[in-house]
Amino acid sequence: MGNLENLIMRVGNLLALPKVTVTDVIEILIISFLLYQVLLFVKKTRAWNLLKGIGVVVVFISIAALFKMETILWLGEKTLNVGIIAIVVVFQPELRQALERLGRKNFITSIFNIDTIKLGEKRFSDKTKNEIAKAVFEMAKVKTGALIVVEKDTQLDEFVRTGIEIDSAISSQLLLNIFEHNTPLHDGAIIVREDRIVSATCYLPLSDNLEISKSLGTRHRAALGVSEVSDSITIVVSEETGMVSIAEDGILYGKIDMESLKAKLSSFQSRVVDENRRKKRMILKGRSWNAEKTDK
């Protein structure tokens, strides 16, 4: 009888749930959130294939451990430390982008839905908005390629330094002259900060998102690339079709008309940090270019 009681107690101890505190629950939620964000980001980069390859290796090592294959286990142990260092070195750009994107998230407003505070001033004037829109669609009529990055909270100094400093007030005539064919400043992007063009002929990072259309040209990939590493918006004019697109938060919207562009710039004018704008994204008349064919 005593042996039976001991057996029942041992089974009960094995089946008993561990004591879970509030701290444990918070810790699990934090780890789950961070892991989800990492997987969500990695899935859109070339690191996703590497992650799948690591999964295959883990399966083989697990089988080796199950059948006690000492040689395979020894090789796996010796290469583990080197492999981790190699992953960090090879995928440093992806890790940097993931950390930058994580740093731009406003967790307090997204969790508690706190009302945002308007700071009482605009990033740029209505004149700047109208001059940009006017120049964009005049270039679209004659199929002049253009790439205009409008800075928000994340300063783009690292890209500004790759171009030629201008520091000029914005006018449609100046924008048309910059992007005119065969002029010294037409190649590359211009960066707009508040009511000034700070630099021209800037080099932007190209997006390596595996989900975007293979038909996207360099200009559109550059627009997507800078939108993935900053909170800016980028206006693109296609050199072959004259079509206007907008890149924001790693998404490219095409077939933008004058009113849609002005509406987007108006929503971008206000110095309001509003995480809910992602949920209430302005309805553009265009659509995502991820599956759409386009030209440079």
Side-chain angles (χ1 to χ4, degrees):
M1 188 68 179
N3 291 335
L4 180 60
E5 289 177 356
N6 290 334
L7 177 63
I8 292 173
M9 289 180 64
R10 283 201 297 267
V11 172
N13 290 333
L14 290 173
L15 297 177
L17 293 175
K19 184 179 179 181
V20 180
T21 64
V22 176
T23 303
D24 296 327
V25 174
I26 295 174
E27 189 175 14
I28 291 170
L29 290 175
I30 291 173
I31 293 173
S32 301
F33 174 78
L34 292 175
L35 184 61
Y36 173 75
Q37 291 294 326
V38 169
L39 290 175
L40 196 64
F41 176 79
V42 168
K43 188 176 181 181
K44 297 181 179 180
T45 67
R46 57 195 176 103
W48 180 244
N49 290 328
L50 175 69
L51 194 62
K52 291 191 290 186
I54 292 174
V56 173
V57 172
V58 169
V59 170
F60 278 108
I61 292 178
S62 301
I63 294 173
L66 182 63
F67 292 100
K68 298 181 179 180
M69 300 176 181
E70 300 297 337
T71 304
I72 295 178
L73 292 176
W74 180 83
L75 288 173
E77 181 182 355
K78 296 300 180 183
T79 56
L80 180 61
N81 293 334
V82 178
I84 292 174
I85 295 173
I87 289 172
V88 172
V89 172
V90 172
F91 291 99
Q92 182 269 338
E94 283 79 4
L95 292 172
R96 178 184 173 185
Q97 289 179 23
L99 291 174
E100 286 177 343
R101 185 169 296 182
L102 190 63
R104 292 201 306 269
K105 287 184 176 294
N106 193 329
F107 299 108
I108 303 300
T109 56
S110 62
I111 294 173
F112 298 104
N113 198 23
I114 296 175
D115 290 335
T116 55
I117 301 174
K118 183 175 272 188
L119 301 183
E121 60 181 63
K122 295 181 178 180
R123 288 190 174 83
F124 47 84
S125 65
D126 290 336
K127 179 178 182 295
T128 294
K129 174 186 70 177
N130 293 329
E131 291 295 312
I132 291 175
K134 179 181 177 182
V136 164
F137 283 92
E138 285 188 15
M139 288 186 286
K141 288 179 184 178
V142 294
K143 297 182 180 180
T144 299
L147 194 56
I148 303 172
V149 183
V150 183
E151 188 182 85
K152 194 180 179 185
D153 296 322
T154 304
Q155 290 206 343
L156 304 175
D157 289 339
E158 60 181 307
F159 307 124
V160 168
R161 289 192 290 268
T162 65
I164 298 173
E165 184 178 354
I166 294 180
D167 191 24
S168 170
I170 297 174
S171 68
S172 58
Q173 292 85 354
L174 177 59
L175 291 172
L176 291 172
N177 286 333
I178 288 175
F179 290 109
E180 183 63 35
H181 292 292
N182 301 321
T183 56
L185 301 179
H186 87 283
D187 196 19
I190 68 164
I191 295 178
V192 173
R193 178 179 295 163
E194 296 180 349
D195 289 312
R196 313 287 291 181
I197 300 174
V198 292
S199 188
T201 69
C202 298
Y203 292 100
L204 304 179
L206 300 182
S207 174
D208 58 0
N209 188 336
L210 299 178
E211 296 182 359
I212 63 177
S213 172
K214 301 297 183 184
S215 62
L216 285 174
T218 303
R219 187 176 284 113
H220 293 84
R221 287 184 178 274
L224 277 172
V226 73
S227 74
E228 290 170 350
V229 299
S230 71
D231 55 2
S232 62
I233 61 169
T234 304
I235 305 165
V236 189
V237 180
S238 172
E239 192 172 297
E240 295 189 5
T241 66
M243 196 171 295
V244 178
S245 308
I246 292 177
E248 182 183 18
D249 293 332
I251 301 175
L252 191 65
Y253 299 93
K255 298 183 179 178
I256 306 300
D257 60 19
M258 174 77 83
E259 294 305 316
S260 295
L261 178 57
K262 285 186 177 181
K264 170 53 70 177
L265 291 173
S266 294
S267 68
F268 209 67
Q269 267 183 295
S270 178
R271 291 185 185 274
V272 177
V273 181
D274 188 1
E275 185 67 16
N276 289 328
R277 74 182 180 84
R278 295 177 183 271
K279 301 176 183 178
K280 301 174 182 178
R281 191 184 299 275
M282 185 193 72
I283 300 175
L284 297 172
K285 294 185 179 180
R287 59 178 181 271
S288 172
W289 277 72
N290 288 353
E292 186 76 12
K293 290 185 177 180
T294 186
D295 301 298
K296 291 184 179 180

